[in-house]
Amino acid sequence: MGAPAPAFGMDVDHWSPDVQRTYFDGLPRLETEVADLGKAAAADPGGRLPDLVLLHRRLIIRATLYRKRHACDFHGPLRPLFDEQVALTRRLAGTGQDQVPLRQALTDRCLFRIAARRYGEAYDDWAEAFAVPD
């Protein structure tokens, strides 16, 4: 049998302790993978950047769930991750590739900013996300 994994859609507060431990113990490894892939993407943006965007989004999801459990002030530590995701997807869009990741990153950051009660900034992201061409 494989390692414990959270049930899709189940709130992190309802995960068993072993599932939480397994899921969050992988966070440092994921951070290292993102950093290594970031170096590779800097050398070969066209080839590695799409992979970096996807892996970085996984990091954001895991880090957000981790912070949700452990910190009252989640905005400060997570903001750089959301900002970096938008920057990465802007670079990807600049290479002429799919615009969907940019729209998704802006929407993710918009929702994060709403949760952090940064409504003006959230509106700016929302407006930009809907202005991204199809």
Side-chain angles (χ1 to χ4, degrees):
M1 184 176 273
F8 182 75
M10 181 181 278
D11 189 288
V12 68
D13 295 332
H14 297 117
W15 297 357
S16 67
D18 60 327
V19 169
Q20 288 184 20
R21 186 174 38 262
T22 300
Y23 188 75
F24 295 120
D25 283 352
L27 191 54
R29 181 180 43 79
L30 187 55
E31 290 170 337
T32 301
E33 288 177 29
V34 167
D36 291 346
L37 191 54
K39 292 173 190 169
D44 179 20
R48 302 308 312 240
L49 193 53
D51 296 333
L52 178 58
V53 166
L54 180 62
L55 193 62
H56 194 273
R57 187 160 192 267
R58 288 182 189 151
L59 174 62
I60 287 175
I61 292 167
R62 194 169 294 202
T64 301
L65 290 171
Y66 179 79
R67 280 284 179 199
K68 177 184 182 287
R69 295 180 15 193
H70 290 295
C72 296
D73 176 30
F74 68 95
H75 182 261
L78 292 173
R79 184 179 181 131
L81 288 175
F82 283 91
D83 291 345
E84 179 65 16
Q85 185 70 6
V86 170
L88 289 171
T89 58
R90 285 188 201 284
R91 281 180 41 208
L92 183 63
T95 66
Q97 297 191 38
D98 193 359
Q99 298 283 321
V100 171
L102 176 57
R103 190 175 306 119
Q104 184 178 51
L106 288 164
T107 302
D108 288 348
R109 189 171 70 176
C110 171
L111 295 172
F112 165 72
R113 288 175 165 174
I114 288 170
R117 297 185 176 140
R118 310 264 186 191
Y119 302 115
E121 294 173 0
Y123 177 80
D124 293 342
D125 282 343
W126 179 81
E128 186 178 349
F130 281 91
V132 172
D134 288 332

